[in-house]
Amino acid sequence: MKRLALAAALALLAAARPTSGAGVEEQVARIRAEVEAIHREAGTFETRTVEVEDVALEGAEATCHSSGERLRKVTARLWGETWKASLELFYVEGDLVFAFRRTSRYDGQIGLETPPTVAAVEERRSYFSGGSLIRLLVGREAVAPGSQAFVEDERETKALGATFREACGE
């Protein structure tokens, strides 16, 4: 009986995380279409802005975009001592499907006499299906699934997604 349960669990896990490139490409295309649909419908969403605690050292603010009872999109701004970031999170049926993060790193601390300048900008695109990260792009470069950077991004982005979803009342 335990073997049967283990086999069923492994089959579900394998189905949730496609191994073929074609499967991932099809899922990414579906996610992109869903994100485009959310953008098209954005004018009909209810919006509200909330302060979010304990996400970034210097603060975070999120605008929650909902359709009925469902959260569809979160746009957030986060600030640290030497960086700022914008984040867009997209949800379908309550599940995080896509995250876009743009982080600007400064050559010094914000708030000093001499204003800092932007030293580096990084963009990350995280695609999720079945609760798992299936594709990560840093700039235009794909990050290898299973790599440390891939695993860390999945953990961090899912945590941010859950934090902002909770802050938005869902």
Side-chain angles (χ1 to χ4, degrees):
M1 188 65 145
K2 287 183 181 179
R3 284 186 182 167
L4 184 58
L6 179 61
L10 289 174
L12 284 173
L13 184 60
R17 209 178 259 260
T19 55
S20 75
V24 170
E25 292 304 323
E26 290 169 3
Q27 290 186 13
V28 167
R30 179 185 46 79
I31 292 165
R32 286 181 177 152
E34 290 167 341
V35 168
E36 287 175 21
I38 291 169
H39 277 300
R40 279 193 309 274
E41 298 167 6
T44 66
F45 296 156
E46 293 178 30
T47 61
R48 68 185 182 98
T49 301
V50 296
E51 295 292 322
V52 184
E53 302 284 326
D54 301 324
V55 174
L57 187 59
E58 298 295 327
E61 176 183 270
T63 301
C64 313
H65 306 267
S66 300
S67 176
E69 295 292 315
R70 284 286 189 194
L71 181 64
R72 300 289 294 178
K73 179 181 175 182
V74 174
T75 54
R77 295 183 304 168
L78 302 90
W79 297 273
E81 287 185 341
T82 60
W83 58 272
K84 74 174 181 178
S86 61
L87 177 66
E88 290 182 285
L89 302 163
F90 295 84
Y91 299 87
V92 173
E93 299 297 324
D95 295 326
L96 178 65
V97 295
F98 180 70
F100 174 75
R101 185 178 345 173
R102 185 174 200 269
T103 305
S104 299
R105 299 206 180 275
Y106 298 108
D107 61 359
Q109 287 184 319
I110 297 172
L112 297 178
E113 254 183 61
T114 306
T117 58
V118 175
V121 176
E122 179 184 81
E123 292 184 348
R124 289 179 170 258
R125 290 167 176 82
S126 305
Y127 296 83
F128 289 86
S129 181
S132 296
L133 183 63
I134 60 167
R135 163 138 327 135
L136 171 61
L137 298 175
V138 177
R140 293 176 184 236
E141 298 296 318
V143 176
S147 67
Q148 183 177 353
F150 192 91
V151 171
E152 286 176 6
D153 185 86
E154 178 175 29
R155 179 188 48 76
E156 183 177 316
T157 305
K158 286 168 76 172
L160 284 169
T163 297
F164 283 107
R165 187 173 62 220
E166 183 178 323
C168 289
E170 187 169 301

